[in-house]
Amino acid sequence: MTRQVSWIALIGTLMIVAGLGIAVVSESGRQTAASENLHTAMVADGADLYAQNCVACHGASGEGVASYPPLTTATAMDAQILYNTVERGRYNTAMAAFGVEEGGTLTGMQIESLVVMLQAETWDTIAARVAELGLTPPQIMVAEIPAETFALVEALPNGATLATGLTVYAENCVACHGANGEGSTLAPALNTDELRVRLSDSDIARIVQEGVPGTLMASWAGALEIVQQQAVVALVSDWGELNAAGIRLPMIESAPLDTSPEAIANGQRLFSLLCIQCHGIDGYGSRIAPALNNQTFLSQTPDAAIQQIIAGGVTGTNMPAWGGYLTDADIASITVYLRSLQPTAPIVAPPQP
Ligand code: HEC
Ligand code: HEC
Ligand code: HEC
């Protein structure tokens, strides 16, 4: 692997040589052109792999989504460190191991393409390619706080802190925990008495600070300042006061399931881009993941449960949580696509290749 990465460095060197206009004898000119072509092909492969595996957290332009870090500084990082990070992941964080030998789906060659792409500083091109594939992540859902609601919160004991907490919450947490902490298919409720009994302030602070590895609950240490973290912890811990005062934010409606042929086609397209590497072509299953295209699964699993599994993933397995990444409409379209397979699905999953 060290050899492969130094080969990347060699390509880089050849590029620099080309850039400086040195050694323009025809033979080395041809070699330079060949390695430029290879470099371009690797960047293009890397862009597609990035769109399919990484935009969810690192953003279409490498800007970082919510609490996930940007990758725009990768040009300054060592190629070997980048390779190791993608292959092996970062222990106890949402950064999973993508290398096949570590249980992931990417080959050494594919990881190299990602590394070359990350170091090529072509984020405008990447963002355009991600958009072309229809994989630009949804805008993080943000709730509006009406002025009257804000004034009511400010009037409570500890109101200034709670108002800051509500602002932080509305900007960062509603997408998963719901407008009023009532929870959603993506994440548990935060506004319950049960939670306030089970978790002390310092437990809540630790969860916000460190996240819950292997779930959509990321660490907010990098994205929120300490005062913001403290304020949102105070909000969760004092939610009973808001409930008692009847303070509620406007609810966010979720869209009904669209079963049109266009939605099914969109679901099939997304399934082919994001799911077949594990669930096999047409969902027939593979060595890595179970068949979805079979009567047993489809007849026993209601639409809402399929959506919930896709959105939330299966903790402790390779099944990623797609919720922060795909829009609700996209998850619904994958669900109606899977449902459309039911009439022709085999009774039991066929043996996996
Ligand atoms: C589920 C979210 C998630 C996905 C998907 C993801 N990452 Fe990460 N990534 C993270 C987190 C969180 C970190 C920070 C880990 C830490 O604290 O060290 C990270 C860190 C990194 C780093 C190190 C950045 C640095 O400054 O040290 C690289 C490089 C990286 N990711 C590349 C990728 C690539 C390439 C992909 C796609 C193959 C990918 N990531 C997919 C969450 C994710
Ligand atoms: C992308 C979705 C997502 C976002 C955004 C998110 N969370 Fe979470 N959160 C989760 C999930 C999923 C869990 C459950 C983790 C587990 O299984 O233990 C969770 C758990 C928690 C818990 C522990 C709940 C319990 O009952 O143990 C707290 C507290 C919490 N989140 C606070 C926050 C705060 C505050 C924010 C905003 C700063 C936030 N979360 C943003 C997904 C999210
Ligand atoms: C990296 C591999 C991987 C990818 C990519 C992946 N899955 Fe999965 N998926 C799994 C694994 C492994 C399981 C089995 C989890 C378990 O043991 O419960 C699973 C389980 C599921 C289940 C539940 C199946 C059952 O029998 O209960 C559904 C539904 C599902 N995945 C849908 C999807 C969809 C839709 C996509 C694409 C958006 C996707 N998966 C992408 C690995 C993956």
Side-chain angles (χ1 to χ4, degrees), residues 172-173 176-177 186-188 190 195 198 207 212 215-217 220:
N172 300 285
C173 322
C176 293
H177 290 287
L186 299 179
L190 297 181
L195 178 135
R198 179 166 46 85
I207 292 169
V212 183
T215 76
L216 282 179
M217 181 64 194
W220 291 88

Side-chain angles (χ1 to χ4, degrees), residues 53 103-105 270-271 274-279 288-292 294 297 301 305-307 309-310 314 317-320 322 326 334-335 338:
N53 296 283
T105 55
L270 290 168
F271 192 87
L274 302 171
C275 321
I276 54 170
Q277 65 268 39
C278 292
H279 289 287
I288 305 178
L292 303 174
N294 77 88
F297 171 71
T301 319
I306 296 182
Q307 285 175 279
I309 297 169
I310 299 173
V314 183
T317 77
N318 275 335
M319 173 61 193
W322 299 94
L326 296 173
I334 296 175
T335 305
L338 291 174

Side-chain angles (χ1 to χ4, degrees), residues 236-258:
V236 173
S237 135
D238 285 2
W239 219 306
E241 321 273 330
L242 269 71
N243 289 342
I247 300 175
R248 301 188 60 75
L249 289 181
M251 294 296 282
I252 299 158
E253 301 289 331
S254 64
L257 225 57
D258 172 2

Side-chain angles (χ1 to χ4, degrees), residues 66-68 140 168-169 171-177 185-190 192 194-195 198-199 203-205 207-208 211-218 220 224 228-229 232-233 235-236 239 312 315 323-324:
S67 63
Y68 298 115
I140 297 292
V168 172
Y169 183 83
E171 285 170 5
N172 300 285
C173 322
V174 283
C176 293
H177 290 287
T185 53
L186 299 179
L190 297 181
T192 63
E194 183 277 326
L195 178 135
R198 179 166 46 85
L199 300 176
D203 292 331
I204 301 171
I207 292 169
V208 172
V212 183
T215 76
L216 282 179
M217 181 64 194
W220 291 88
L224 297 177
Q228 294 179 305
Q229 292 179 36
V232 81
V233 169
L235 174 77
V236 173
W239 219 306
T315 307

